[in-house]
Amino acid sequence: MSQAVGNTALAYARVWHHVDATDRVLGKLAERIALVLMGKHKPIYDPSVDCGDYVIVTNSKKVKVTGRKAEQVLFRKHSMYPGGLKETPYKDMMVKNPDEIIRRAVSGMLPKNKLRERRLERLKIFPAHRMGILGANIMRSWDDGTLPANFDPSIPTTSETLKMLKEQQQKST
């Protein structure tokens, strides 16, 4: 007699991840975010099932690009009317709308199918380190992978709070 073991609800549960974009390279950051949004880091990954997690990105205005992309990259959109092409340089977009830069980069890394928009809805981007009430949902943080000894999971972890915890730990020793 064979016994089939199905996927548990816990395996499909969505986890909230936090990413600090300070001094991170845009392409590598977008690739990692796309993998988490798709759910490729889970053992139950299936390309036709939307089993990815939530991602919160903070400090989006501090993201870096390599080479001369800051001078060369143009963001284009068209109103579908004749002469309706609008081009915005990277530097202007970084001042006006830094979260749109990361959103477009992640969108380009996701598969072009019907699940793309649903996956992008789970991406929350903030220009500074404040993330509001969503910070209470965070389960995993990608800052540097280390946690201080006095880490408290009930407190939302951002790069700012981790620095404060490490400073407190150094003062106590």
Side-chain angles (χ1 to χ4, degrees), residues 14-17 56 133-140 156:
R14 297 191 193 277
V15 177
W16 289 71
H17 298 262
I56 297 176
I133 191 100
L134 295 178
N137 296 330
I138 295 172
M139 297 292 287
R140 296 184 183 144

Side-chain angles (χ1 to χ4, degrees), residues 16-21 55-59 124-141 143 155-162:
W16 289 71
H17 298 262
H18 171 248
V19 183
D20 186 9
V55 177
I56 297 176
V57 181
T58 56
N59 293 321
K124 314 293 183 195
I125 304 173
F126 299 97
H129 71 278
R130 300 273 182 209
M131 63 188 93
I133 191 100
L134 295 178
N137 296 330
I138 295 172
M139 297 292 287
R140 296 184 183 144
S141 185
D143 286 336
I155 300 171
T157 55
T158 64
S159 60
E160 307 298 324
T161 57
L162 284 175

Side-chain angles (χ1 to χ4, degrees), residues 4 18 20 28 32 43 56-57 70 88 91-92 99 111 115 124 143 147 153:
H18 171 248
D20 186 9
K28 292 180 180 181
R32 186 158 180 194
I56 297 176
V57 181
T88 308
K91 289 183 177 182
D92 293 343
D99 56 332
L115 298 175
K124 314 293 183 195
D143 286 336
L147 294 174

Side-chain angles (χ1 to χ4, degrees), residues 86-143:
K86 303 269 196 257
E87 292 182 340
T88 308
Y90 176 84
K91 289 183 177 182
D92 293 343
M93 187 72 109
M94 199 61 160
V95 172
K96 279 192 331 192
N97 202 359
D99 56 332
E100 187 64 23
I101 293 173
I102 295 178
R103 189 172 307 282
R104 284 190 185 202
V106 171
S107 176
M109 301 279 179
L110 290 172
K112 283 61 172 179
N113 58 22
K114 292 182 178 183
L115 298 175
R116 183 188 211 180
E117 291 303 317
R118 194 181 319 167
R119 288 171 173 160
L120 280 174
E121 286 174 3
R122 290 196 309 272
L123 176 63
K124 314 293 183 195
I125 304 173
F126 299 97
H129 71 278
R130 300 273 182 209
M131 63 188 93
I133 191 100
L134 295 178
N137 296 330
I138 295 172
M139 297 292 287
R140 296 184 183 144
S141 185
W142 300 354
D143 286 336

Side-chain angles (χ1 to χ4, degrees), residues 76-87 104:
R76 295 182 175 95
K77 63 180 181 178
H78 203 288
S79 66
M80 304 310 285
Y81 287 99
L85 179 65
K86 303 269 196 257
E87 292 182 340
R104 284 190 185 202

